[in-house]
């Protein structure tokens, strides 16, 4: 009888070890975004994006602190936080979704994927399906995605004075290499 | 035995329940663990007269024009208000450049018309206020300044020393951004003049600058400041036997339009550097002494990196 408990506990231990290895994560994913208009090109970069992937359920979460975006022009950076993103009120931008494809995470390979979920920016949540690339290589998982964000979709108000300088659609690029979470 | 089973079961479930919202919880935890510096405690590197905790960021240059007009003469017994267009006929002016060497350290050079004074100064962010788990509630800056008075010597027949032209300011600027709409500031200050007019006048003046800023809209703020001196309040005296120097007060509005910040204000001092408006402000706090002034600043970025 005692032996059964022992076997069981070993089994459970194994299960819990394998399930904790199903989370892949990084704290230094990258997001770049670009706003292109005939008047002005603006771009910003963050290198401290938190990305988490559950390989068992295919759930993905991408979250970035808005104040971590660096602009070459610091005045723009201040305006980005103060006027457009209102980062004191809405400190983070978040995407959470599910990868639609079945992926063998144990084999090296490149997969085209689509992720369906919700994108929350400026406190406004939108349903989105975003195409991307997933690269499994030697125990790491790289996620790449390019997509557009409409400024009006997230109720970000652009003053009429600068309307010509800020694009209606911002192009966003994500690049993150995930490792098994300890 | 029962306990052991429960324990093992619980142990097993720990690993199993990672759903989407748990991932989100993890992400939230990672992000709140990072202390993030607060931004935009104030709109500009100056509140009205006082320095704020803001500095020019690395490779950013700011050109600043500061004006203080003559008293507006709006008190009931003055009839010259409109005649002199509320003081707009006369002005003290300072032109200055501010440059960020790093994101926390800036240098500043300027010249004001009062006593033809050149000033060289530096401001350094010692500590930044942060939000998040391991946050720090205050920003602390050091501001130091050397003033060089280049007026002709009053008496050329005596030995005059270059050092007599110099004056210094040491100041700590402690600020707190309470929330999106309200920030305040304390600035313990020491002003030193190498040469003073009379024996009774102290060379060192201690003062405590107090200021606050309220956000009105995304581009405008309302500011208020008062700089009581802690010593030397009675000496020197003016010919009427009253104290010659007075504390400075000011209220102002910041209006920001893209790369420009306009600061419009009402104050009782025409000093444009700390030596003048803290230690040698000759206008008392009274309606007849209130004057209109503005600071105009334009920032240029020389940062080409991405």
């Amino acid at each position: 009888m005692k032996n059964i408990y022992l076997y069981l506990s070993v089994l459970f231990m194994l299960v819990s070890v394998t399930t904790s290895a199903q989370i892949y994560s990084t704290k230094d994913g990258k997001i770049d975004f670009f706003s292109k208009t005939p008047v002005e090109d603006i771009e910003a970069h963050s290198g401290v994006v938190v990305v988490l992937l559950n390989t068992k359920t295919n759930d993905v979460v991408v979250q970035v602190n808005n104040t971590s975006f660096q602009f070459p022009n610091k005045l723009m950076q201040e305006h980005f936080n103060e006027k457009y993103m209102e980062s004191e009120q809405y400190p983070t931008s978040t995407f959470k979704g599910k990868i639609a494809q079945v992926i063998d995470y144990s084999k090296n390979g490149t997969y085209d994927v689509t992720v369906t979920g919700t994108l929350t920016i400026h406190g406004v949540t939108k349903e989105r399906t975003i195409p991307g690339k997933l690269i499994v290589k030697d125990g790491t998982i790289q996620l790449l995605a390019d997509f557009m964000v409409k400024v009006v979709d997230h109720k970000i108000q652009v003053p009429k004075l600068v309307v010509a300088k800020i694009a209606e659609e911002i192009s966003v690029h994500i690049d993150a290499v995930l490792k098994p979470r300890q | 035995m029962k306990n052991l089973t429960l324990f093992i079961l619980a142990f097993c479930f720990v690993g199993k329940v990672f759903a989407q919202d748990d991932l989100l919880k993890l992400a939230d935890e990672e992000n709140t663990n990072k202390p993030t510096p607060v931004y935009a405690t104030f709109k500009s590197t100056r509140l009205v007269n006082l320095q704020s905790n803001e500095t020019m960021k690395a490779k950013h240059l700011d050109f600043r024009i500061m004006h203080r007009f003559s008293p507006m003469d709006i008190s009931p017994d003055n009839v010259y208000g409109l005649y002199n267009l509320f003081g707009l006929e006369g002005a003290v002016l300072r032109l200055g450049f501010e440059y960020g060497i790093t994101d926390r350290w800036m240098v500043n050079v300027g010249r004001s018309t009062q006593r033809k004074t050149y000033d060289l100064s530096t401001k350094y962010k010692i500590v930044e206020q942060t939000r998040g788990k391991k946050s720090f509630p205050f920003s602390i800056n050091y501001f130091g300044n050397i003033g060089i008075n280049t007026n002709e010597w009053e008496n050329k027949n005596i030995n005059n020393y270059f050092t007599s032209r110099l004056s210094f300011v040491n100041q700590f600027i402690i600020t707190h951004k309470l929330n999106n709409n309200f920030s305040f500031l304390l600035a313990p200050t020491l002003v030193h003049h190498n040469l003073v007019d009379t024996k009774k006048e102290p060379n060192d003046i201690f003062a405590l600058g107090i200021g606050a800023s309220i956000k009105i809209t995304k581009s405008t703020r309302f500011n208020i400041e008062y700089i009581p001196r802690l010593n030397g309040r009675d000496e020197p005296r003016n010919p009427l036997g009253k104290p010659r120097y007075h504390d400075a007060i000011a209220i102002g509005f910041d209006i920001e339009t893209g790369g420009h910040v306009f600061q419009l204000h009402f104050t009782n001092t025409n000093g444009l550097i700390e030596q003048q408006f803290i230690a040698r402000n000759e206008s008392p706090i009274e309606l007849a002494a209130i004057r209109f002034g503005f600071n105009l600043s334009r920032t240029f970025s020389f940062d080409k990196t991405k």
Side-chain angles (χ1 to χ4, degrees):
Chain A
M1 204 54 186
K2 260 186 185 172
N3 277 346
I4 285 175
Y5 281 120
L6 191 67
Y7 289 139
L8 267 179
S9 77
V10 168
L11 183 70
F12 287 153
M13 292 268 259
L14 275 174
V15 165
S16 69
V17 166
T18 48
T19 48
S20 74
Q22 77 197 15
I23 306 285
Y24 281 70
S25 74
T26 180
K27 289 181 192 180
D28 48 14
K30 296 176 180 68
I31 294 183
D32 294 277
F33 69 78
F34 309 88
S35 154
K36 279 195 195 323
T37 66
V39 183
E40 197 162 16
D41 289 345
I42 300 168
E43 65 174 284
H45 170 83
S46 172
V48 287
V49 182
V50 173
V51 184
L52 292 147
L53 168 66
N54 185 335
T55 51
K56 201 163 189 187
T57 61
N58 269 358
D59 286 326
V60 182
V61 164
V62 180
Q63 192 178 63
V64 59
N65 274 341
N66 294 330
T67 51
S68 72
F69 281 104
Q70 299 296 314
F71 292 65
N73 186 330
K74 296 297 166 186
L75 214 59
M76 275 181 197
Q77 189 170 324
E78 190 179 311
H79 294 168
F80 170 76
N81 288 306
E82 180 92 345
K83 293 187 173 180
Y84 303 120
M85 298 301 272
E86 303 183 79
S87 304
E88 286 270 351
Q89 254 171 297
Y90 315 108
T92 55
S93 297
T94 308
F95 177 80
K96 58 173 189 176
K98 218 179 189 48
I99 298 171
Q101 287 74 12
V102 180
I103 290 153
D104 184 356
Y105 291 101
S106 61
K107 255 193 261 168
N108 283 0
T110 303
Y111 303 84
D112 286 318
V113 292
T114 51
V115 191
T116 303
T118 56
L119 177 66
T120 308
I121 301 174
H122 193 237
V124 180
T125 302
K126 282 266 154 190
E127 298 278 336
R128 293 291 300 260
T129 298
I130 291 166
K133 216 169 225 140
L134 190 150
I135 302 165
V136 181
K137 199 185 170 192
D138 306 333
T140 65
I141 301 170
Q142 185 176 13
L143 291 174
L144 292 159
D146 283 289
F147 58 97
M148 305 296 280
V149 174
K150 269 192 186 162
V151 170
V152 287
D153 278 357
H154 295 277
K155 298 199 172 126
I156 298 167
Q157 289 171 343
V158 178
K160 282 200 178 102
L161 260 176
V162 292
V163 112
K165 293 183 180 177
I166 294 169
E168 288 172 25
E169 277 192 281
I170 310 291
S171 85
V172 180
H173 175 74
I174 297 183
D175 182 348
V177 179
L178 281 64
K179 287 179 185 145
R181 189 180 165 82
Q182 299 304 319
Chain B
M1 258 331 178
K2 243 183 187 174
N3 285 343
L4 181 66
T5 331
L6 276 175
F7 169 73
I8 291 165
L9 277 173
F11 200 65
C12 166
F13 279 121
V14 165
K16 267 206 152 178
V17 290
F18 277 118
Q20 219 171 38
D21 284 332
D22 300 286
L23 279 189
L24 196 61
K25 228 176 263 171
L26 282 179
D28 273 332
E29 269 169 34
E30 311 242 305
N31 270 326
T32 49
N33 276 337
K34 274 184 259 174
T36 51
V38 305
Y39 59 90
T41 308
F42 299 100
K43 197 114 227 152
S44 179
T45 55
R46 289 196 185 225
L47 186 60
V48 176
N49 294 313
L50 279 175
Q51 298 285 335
S52 76
N53 71 318
E54 306 291 342
T55 59
M56 277 295 122
K57 295 290 192 286
K59 294 182 189 165
H60 286 58
L61 177 77
D62 186 83
F63 175 51
R64 181 171 285 260
I65 304 167
M66 303 167 78
H67 258 82
R68 300 291 180 273
F69 294 101
S70 299
M72 296 168 72
D73 276 356
I74 47 170
S75 63
D77 33 324
N78 268 299
V79 289
Y80 292 109
L82 183 60
Y83 184 63
N84 291 331
L85 197 58
F86 305 105
L88 297 191
E89 288 187 349
V92 175
L93 167 76
R94 178 179 177 276
L95 299 175
F97 292 96
E98 297 176 352
Y99 186 72
I101 293 170
T102 71
D103 281 348
R104 309 177 77 125
W105 180 32
M106 81 169 199
V107 292
N108 182 353
V109 55
R111 181 189 184 275
S112 55
T113 53
Q114 204 184 88
R115 303 195 193 203
K116 300 190 192 298
T117 307
Y118 290 83
D119 61 275
L120 300 166
S121 71
T122 184
K123 184 153 70 173
Y124 184 74
K125 251 182 204 173
I126 303 167
V127 191
E128 261 182 311
Q129 183 186 350
T130 49
R131 297 223 198 284
K133 245 183 188 166
K134 288 175 193 159
S135 62
F136 189 79
F138 299 104
S139 285
I140 303 172
N141 286 45
Y142 168 78
F143 171 79
N145 154 354
I146 302 172
I148 308 160
N149 161 1
T150 64
N151 260 350
E152 284 194 351
W153 295 113
E154 272 177 44
N155 184 349
K156 289 182 182 165
N157 300 322
I158 55 167
N159 265 344
N160 288 305
Y161 302 100
F162 174 73
T163 50
S164 304
R165 296 188 175 281
L166 302 181
S167 54
F168 305 88
V169 170
N170 285 294
Q171 185 174 55
F172 286 98
I173 302 146
I174 302 155
T175 64
H176 178 72
K177 183 176 186 179
L178 191 69
N179 55 38
N180 205 14
N181 301 316
F182 184 74
S183 312
F184 63 85
L185 167 160
L186 280 180
T189 310
L190 165 64
V191 181
H192 176 89
H193 280 93
N194 273 356
L195 183 69
V196 289
D197 295 337
T198 65
K199 266 193 177 166
K200 279 187 177 171
E201 186 180 345
N203 290 80
D204 292 323
I205 295 284
F206 294 89
L208 182 67
I210 303 164
S213 178
I214 297 160
K215 188 161 152 181
I216 304 170
T217 71
K218 286 177 189 175
S219 316
T220 53
R221 300 188 80 105
F222 173 72
N223 305 319
I224 185 158
E225 70 179 33
Y226 172 49
I227 318 168
R229 293 157 306 142
L230 307 176
N231 66 326
R233 298 181 67 87
D234 298 329
E235 292 294 342
R237 306 229 159 212
N238 64 17
L240 297 171
K242 293 199 171 144
R244 181 165 167 202
Y245 298 130
H246 304 271
D247 295 339
I249 56 155
I251 59 166
F253 295 90
D254 298 337
I255 300 164
E256 184 236 288
T257 61
H260 291 88
V261 178
F262 296 91
Q263 297 184 294
L264 311 177
H265 32 248
F266 298 95
T267 172
N268 70 329
T269 174
N270 66 355
L272 293 168
I273 59 174
E274 286 68 15
Q275 285 90 330
Q276 296 159 2
F277 65 76
I278 293 178
R280 291 186 168 174
N281 167 35
E282 299 195 29
S283 308
I285 300 175
E286 59 186 40
L287 200 55
I290 296 299
R291 57 187 82 226
F292 175 65
F294 68 82
N295 302 343
L296 197 172
S297 90
R298 165 79 211 186
T299 301
F300 305 90
S301 171
F302 294 101
D303 193 347
K304 298 284 179 249
T305 55
K306 284 176 181 172

